[in-house]
Amino acid sequence: MQGSQSTPSELIMPQTRRSFVKTVTAATAGASLASVSAASYARIVGANERIRVGVLGCGRLARGHTRGLRNRDDAQVVALSDVYQPNLDAIQGNAPGADAYRDFRQVLERDDVDLAFIASPDHWHPLMAVMAADAGKHVYVEKPTSVAVHEGRKMVEAARRNDRRMQVGTQQRSQFHFQEVVDLVQSGILGEVSMVRCWNYSNNYPNGMGSPADASPPDGLDWDLWLGPAPEVPFNINRFGVVLNDEGQYQRWASFRHFWDYAGGMMTDWGVHHLDIVQWAMGVDAPTHVGAVGGKFYLQDNRDTPDTLLTTYQYPGFVCLYENRLCNALPLGEQRYGLQFHGTQATLFVNRQFYEIMPERGSDVQPVRKEAWGGGVAEHFTDLFDAIRDGRNPLSDIEAGHRSSSTAILGTLAYRTGTSFGWDGAAEQSDNDAVNAMLMREYRQPWSLG
């Protein structure tokens, strides 16, 4: 927030998302509103209408999500799979009666699984999603969709050829205030938006996640299956990333995210959330030019990914910046993460807690600050379950999720190749041979994406 502004009383009265947008855009002649479908509320259904869920990857995220699924009348978790026995032990209380497996393929073989719920490390997302769709399952898959751009396209193709619903875990689309922000940006109230800025700041200096030595895998872990299509390397606790205490509680978010073999660091872990909202609100699905600067300058750990990164994306009519720093947590405008849409009439800031409109001097736009008021993970799943029943694509459909993930991945490729490059979003090819060589990754045998 860049200074607190008074909010007109009529703008903080309870009202619908649509009526609020009409109120704040009344002074904008001829402004048209985006048509955005909000997630519907959960419906009460009989047991024979429940969507039966098989969970592929049972770590920290899956544990939280299965608690939510257990509270739904229209869902039943019938199968769990993970290569690490302590993960299975920790999650089974959230899915009473569910069968547990070491190998996810055993879940996909079951006729009583309607939805494959993929919360594995990122490098497994594409293969699991494609195999699940080919097995006739609908799919929920965590973001980012993939490690390489062309893997994500394979996921879209699998969903379409099998007529399966495939939702990505970009749950900000299901938060009501983000939906309102999209409408506001598209209404024209901000004027001409020439720049969007996104950021994540924290301070993990100096040791980061440390530099533990390679070691033998812990009891209960199938390290070879965890690696799957990724290159064969010795076990390292930071590559694996799961750290549990004696009570089975997770001590941190899994650190596989910081190794190129499995993920793309903060750029693809957090940046994809920001970029998803940018592309949705601005009505675009790919940049035309990408560049990046940064480095692993000061963190003294064994991660591959940078501790400081600034990426730039050129789109028709505007520029988007994403920046991340891990060695200094000074907020921008009192916020350590968020997005700002900079228009000729006003700037709009948004994160998961609130949004704020800050008018330019001389503008007729009124200042507004509005706290987040609903929507989120539960509504995200409701949208998916409704989409499955209704035969439509969810709001966070795989095409949109793939496009947002691809934009984040392109930022990592600009950094890793030390180049800036043009991007053809329709062909999903760059004008740079080094970048094109990294748009697909080689799978370790016997795994193949086809």
Side-chain angles (χ1 to χ4, degrees), residues 4-79:
S4 177
Q5 299 282 354
S6 58
T7 302
S9 60
E10 68 271 20
L11 298 186
I12 59 175
M13 293 292 288
Q15 52 194 305
T16 66
R17 177 168 65 93
R18 186 66 60 207
S19 67
F20 176 81
V21 175
K22 288 180 179 179
T23 300
V24 298
T25 58
T28 307
S32 61
L33 298 177
S35 177
V36 179
S37 297
S40 64
Y41 291 104
R43 60 183 71 176
I44 303 300
V45 297
N48 62 330
E49 296 181 78
R50 287 178 177 170
I51 292 174
R52 298 161 299 182
V53 181
V55 181
L56 314 185
C58 295
R60 183 173 177 176
L61 272 175
R63 192 194 291 197
H65 289 332
T66 52
R67 280 196 295 268
L69 292 173
R70 185 179 180 181
N71 293 329
R72 298 186 65 95
D73 294 309
D74 58 354
Q76 180 183 7
V77 177
V78 298

Side-chain angles (χ1 to χ4, degrees), residues 72-93:
R72 298 186 65 95
D73 294 309
D74 58 354
Q76 180 183 7
V77 177
V78 298
L80 304 162
S81 65
D82 200 282
V83 299
Y84 189 41
Q85 187 61 44
N87 276 346
L88 286 172
D89 294 341
I91 202 173
Q92 283 184 316

Side-chain angles (χ1 to χ4, degrees), residues 258-377:
H258 304 296
F259 294 88
W260 298 125
D261 285 343
Y262 323 122
M266 288 293 290
M267 181 78 252
T268 61
D269 191 51
W270 245 110
V272 65
H273 283 301
H274 296 326
L275 295 170
D276 185 60
I277 298 301
V278 172
Q279 295 190 162
W280 185 21
M282 297 298 290
V284 295
D285 60 17
T288 59
H289 196 274
V290 184
V293 291
K296 184 183 175 184
F297 296 124
Y298 296 111
L299 287 187
Q300 300 166 28
D301 60 19
N302 65 341
R303 79 181 65 211
D304 295 334
T305 57
D307 59 35
T308 306
L309 182 66
L310 173 62
T311 59
T312 58
Y313 299 98
Q314 177 77 53
Y315 292 89
F318 75 100
V319 170
C320 176
L321 309 178
Y322 173 77
E323 56 182 287
N324 172 62
R325 44 177 152 90
L326 299 177
C327 297
N328 180 281
L330 180 69
L332 176 63
E334 301 180 12
Q335 302 301 322
R336 291 190 177 181
Y337 80 101
L339 302 84
Q340 285 180 337
F341 295 85
H342 297 284
T344 54
Q345 296 299 309
T347 291
L348 187 154
F349 168 84
V350 63
N351 66 13
R352 293 182 179 179
Q353 282 69 52
F354 72 100
Y355 76 76
E356 183 175 20
I357 297 176
M358 296 160 281
E360 288 286 285
R361 183 176 298 178
S363 170
D364 292 333
V365 177
Q366 295 299 304
V368 175
R369 178 185 167 105
K370 195 169 184 183
E371 305 298 319
W373 68 90
V377 174

